[in-house]
Amino acid sequence: MSVFYRKYQNKNQYSVSYGKWFARAVTIGKTVTVDDLAKHMSEHNTPYSKGAIKGVLTDMIDCIRELMLEGKAVKLDGLAIFSAGIKTKKKGALTSEDFSTTKHIDSVYMRARATGEFTRAELTKAGNVTELPKNYTDYHEDDDEPQNPSGGSGSQNSGSSNSGNSGSQAETVAAPTISGETPFDNTTQVTLSGPDGAEIRYTVDGSAPTAESSLYSEALTLTDTVIVKAIAIKNGVSSEVASKTFTKNGSGDNGGGFDTGS
């Protein structure tokens, strides 16, 4: 058993890690479906048929979803604990009164926390990490489709972020641009821009943005000294963090001035 990776070089000249090399995990072949999993399990010296196993798996998926939406956590021993998470619309400083309604709730999503033999430490210990052979083309990163599902040479999926050619590099995403006047007197408007097709996530509290941070949709109005940080995300690939400090004249460097306009 092996966990495969490809090495790639950051070619974004505006990135602080420009020119550096990284390893990125890849999966090989097509994604295993419930049908595939049922067939795999039926071949493991069991008296149960593929159809019976698939029925149990399908019911299990439906029940986990149902229990999660009832506010329960479901633990599959040795694998993960599944539960529902909530993402808040992080625009400005919110108070407890703001949550008397759900208008500041952005979305509900599924969380999976590793447990038992699937903790990071256990996986690291058990995983046989191996570089993907350069002539292997039937692989994919994140949730992209395989580069060459048919197994032929040189075939490419249009729009894929990966390349099946030997020696090529994985896609990198350019960091967003943060624009706005600084220093400023009363307020300043900040705009964020990034590569075509990418979404921009940002923070105004000094923390590093992630895929769960606020989604940029319109200009930000700052009323005090603030550090704006942002990333661009495209096809599941995140850029380096862009950061810019906006200083209000006479305010010092305390930060925290952000006006949602509401």
Side-chain angles (χ1 to χ4, degrees), residues 59 124 178 185 187 190 202:
D59 286 347
T124 301
I178 304 175
D185 291 327
T187 64
V190 175
Y202 70 92

Side-chain angles (χ1 to χ4, degrees), residues 223-234:
T223 60
D224 209 334
T225 296
V226 163
I227 300 175
V228 178
K229 294 185 178 182
I231 56 172
I233 304 175
K234 185 176 182 180

Side-chain angles (χ1 to χ4, degrees), residues 152-209:
S153 61
S155 174
Q156 299 291 323
N157 287 334
S158 175
S160 172
S161 63
N162 307 306
S163 172
N165 294 328
S166 173
S168 62
Q169 306 302 328
E171 179 187 32
T172 58
V173 178
T177 300
I178 304 175
S179 303
E181 180 185 0
T182 184
F184 61 95
D185 291 327
N186 297 313
T187 64
T188 189
Q189 295 285 311
V190 175
T191 58
L192 310 178
S193 59
D196 289 342
E199 66 176 28
I200 300 176
R201 300 280 177 171
Y202 70 92
T203 62
V204 292
D205 59 1
S207 63

Side-chain angles (χ1 to χ4, degrees), residues 57-76:
L57 290 174
T58 301
D59 286 347
M60 181 186 72
I61 293 168
D62 290 341
C63 288
I64 290 177
R65 182 186 296 113
E66 177 184 346
L67 291 168
M68 279 175 37
L69 293 176
E70 291 178 356
K72 294 180 172 63
V74 181
K75 179 180 180 182
L76 300 186

